[in-house]
Amino acid sequence: MPIIDNAVYVGGQRIENPESLEQTFEYMRDKGGMAWIGLFRPTPEEIDKVAAEFSLHPLAIEDALTGHQRAKLERYGDILFAVLRPARYIDATETVEFGELHVFVGRDFVVTIRHADSPDLARVRRRLEQQPELLSLGPEAVLYAILDEVVDEYSPVAAGVQNDIDEIEDALFGAGEPNLSRRIYDLSREVIAFQRASEPLAVMLESLQRGAEKYRVDLELQRSLRDVLDHVLVVCQKLSGFRATLENALTVNATLVTQRLTETSLEQGEQVKKISGWAAILFGPTLVAGIYGMNFESMPELSWQFGYPLALALMAATSLTLYIVFRRKRWL
């Protein structure tokens, strides 16, 4: 079902579990509480119901429907609209998978729209329900907890990427992995995508801290957001280091590949020289043998007493001379 969880809170306590969006809106008005509606890949009709009830801006609704948005924080009147890009590391394929989460934060409501399995918002909800004093601070507390969860999930992803980089560095000076260049390139793209997901969070969190009046963020929440910001900056620093390391690895790998090709070419050249040298040495005896091995009656050398011995001596002298020359040139 697109509606994953749907609850109304008063004073940080969960008081109602509506079975439909209509009931949620009714309980909110009757109890004067805060609604938290969690949607997973909702239909346009469901989003339209939420948008009509909370007067969500059409541009934000369009972003939520189409997806594939960059990480950002925007304000439409009294409503904040945040796009987050959670990530998780897939051990089986050694790749990073990026999701997308849209969060609408109003005076008395929070609407989350997920387009992927990550992050685990059920865990965020359980954590807040166990801290009613934090949840009582309102929708901004929910936004803080979601940001905190997204950033916490970045840590194992960064660890997985670090492990991949270590493997690449080990393979650089090894036997020579055939697809190493492609692996470095693919990992570099993942790191860049990771940077695009995480770096805007620093700007978002700084805006939330500065805008106590503009964004109605409680002072205690500002302190909590500062802690999340510190974690984001650590992740961003790691990613900058990863990117520099991969750029250097790609350069080193290209240099090593060129060096191996050059060494192979030189080795092949030496082999060609040796083959050519032996061919030249054998050419002289072959020529003499070819000439004097023929039964030509008109060749005067055939009647000489030392004709054949001279021919053999000529072959030996030619071969020895060529051998000495090629040895001095180190072709043999």
Side-chain angles (χ1 to χ4, degrees):
M1 291 292 293
I3 301 178
I4 302 301
D5 204 345
N6 186 12
V8 176
Y9 300 87
V10 174
Q13 300 290 338
R14 185 170 185 154
I15 61 170
E16 297 290 353
N17 298 299
E19 296 180 357
S20 66
L21 292 175
E22 289 76 9
Q23 286 187 355
T24 304
F25 306 146
E26 181 181 348
Y27 291 154
M28 282 179 58
R29 289 188 291 267
D30 293 343
K31 306 293 184 179
M34 176 192 74
W36 182 355
I37 303 171
L39 303 175
F40 179 70
R41 294 175 181 168
T43 63
E45 292 77 15
E46 288 171 324
I47 291 185
D48 288 341
K49 288 181 182 179
V50 174
E53 177 66 25
F54 298 130
S55 301
L56 304 181
H57 198 278
L59 291 178
I61 293 300
E62 182 180 351
D63 288 346
L65 283 171
T66 57
H68 304 290
Q69 302 297 314
R70 61 180 177 83
K72 60 183 178 180
L73 178 67
E74 296 177 340
R75 181 181 178 87
Y76 296 96
D78 292 334
I79 298 174
L80 286 176
F81 174 59
V83 179
L84 306 177
R85 300 303 306 272
R88 64 173 182 168
Y89 186 81
I90 310 299
D91 290 314
T93 57
E94 295 186 337
T95 57
V96 180
E97 180 183 88
F98 296 95
E100 188 168 344
L101 173 65
H102 300 160
V103 185
F104 293 90
V105 180
R107 290 186 179 274
D108 55 359
F109 69 88
V110 176
V111 178
T112 57
I113 301 175
R114 281 193 297 136
H115 292 273
D117 294 332
S118 179
D120 186 359
L121 294 184
R123 180 166 57 193
V124 176
R125 192 184 289 264
R126 288 192 300 270
R127 169 193 167 192
L128 284 175
E129 289 178 351
Q130 293 170 1
Q131 298 177 284
E133 70 284 355
L134 177 60
L135 189 54
S136 65
L137 295 177
E140 291 79 13
V142 178
L143 177 59
Y144 148 72
I146 293 173
L147 287 167
D148 190 36
E149 179 69 18
V150 170
V151 174
D152 283 346
E153 290 186 358
Y154 283 162
S155 295
V157 178
V161 173
Q162 177 67 72
N163 184 67
D164 291 342
I165 292 177
D166 292 342
E167 291 179 357
I168 287 174
E169 290 179 331
D170 292 340
L172 272 176
F173 298 97
E177 187 177 325
N179 297 321
L180 187 57
S181 296
R182 182 54 185 261
R183 186 181 181 189
I184 296 173
Y185 176 74
D186 290 341
L187 189 56
S188 297
R189 292 183 60 187
E190 289 182 351
V191 170
I192 293 173
F194 202 171
Q195 286 181 308
R196 290 174 179 170
S198 60
E199 288 180 350
L201 291 183
V203 179
M204 293 166 59
L205 290 162
E206 289 172 352
S207 298
L208 289 171
Q209 287 187 71
R210 291 194 306 266
E213 297 180 0
K214 180 179 180 181
Y215 294 112
R216 308 187 312 278
V217 179
D218 182 84
L219 180 61
E220 187 62 32
L221 275 181
Q222 291 186 54
R223 297 191 181 101
S224 300
L225 289 170
R226 190 178 304 117
D227 180 67
V228 179
L229 175 60
D230 291 340
H231 288 93
V232 170
L233 294 177
V234 170
V235 171
C236 292
Q237 289 175 355
K238 287 183 179 180
L239 293 176
S240 297
F242 291 166
R243 189 169 180 178
T245 300
L246 288 170
E247 289 175 354
N248 292 335
L250 195 59
T251 301
V252 171
N253 184 62
T255 302
L256 292 174
V257 169
T258 302
Q259 181 179 347
R260 293 190 188 105
L261 290 174
T262 302
E263 291 174 351
T264 302
S265 178
L266 291 174
E267 184 178 350
Q268 290 176 345
E270 291 297 324
Q271 296 296 330
V272 170
K273 287 181 180 179
K274 291 180 179 180
I275 294 172
S276 300
W278 284 111
I281 291 173
L282 295 175
F283 174 75
T286 302
L287 177 62
V288 175
I291 294 174
Y292 288 97
M294 299 179 184
N295 296 322
F296 289 156
E297 294 292 340
S298 59
M299 293 182 68
E301 293 89 344
L302 295 176
S303 60
W304 293 354
Q305 181 178 359
F306 299 104
Y308 276 108
L310 287 174
L312 293 174
L314 179 60
M315 283 193 300
T318 303
S319 299
L320 180 60
T321 302
L322 290 173
Y323 179 78
I324 293 173
V325 171
F326 293 151
R327 288 291 292 180
R328 286 183 177 177
K329 292 189 175 184
R330 296 182 179 179
W331 287 8
L332 296 177

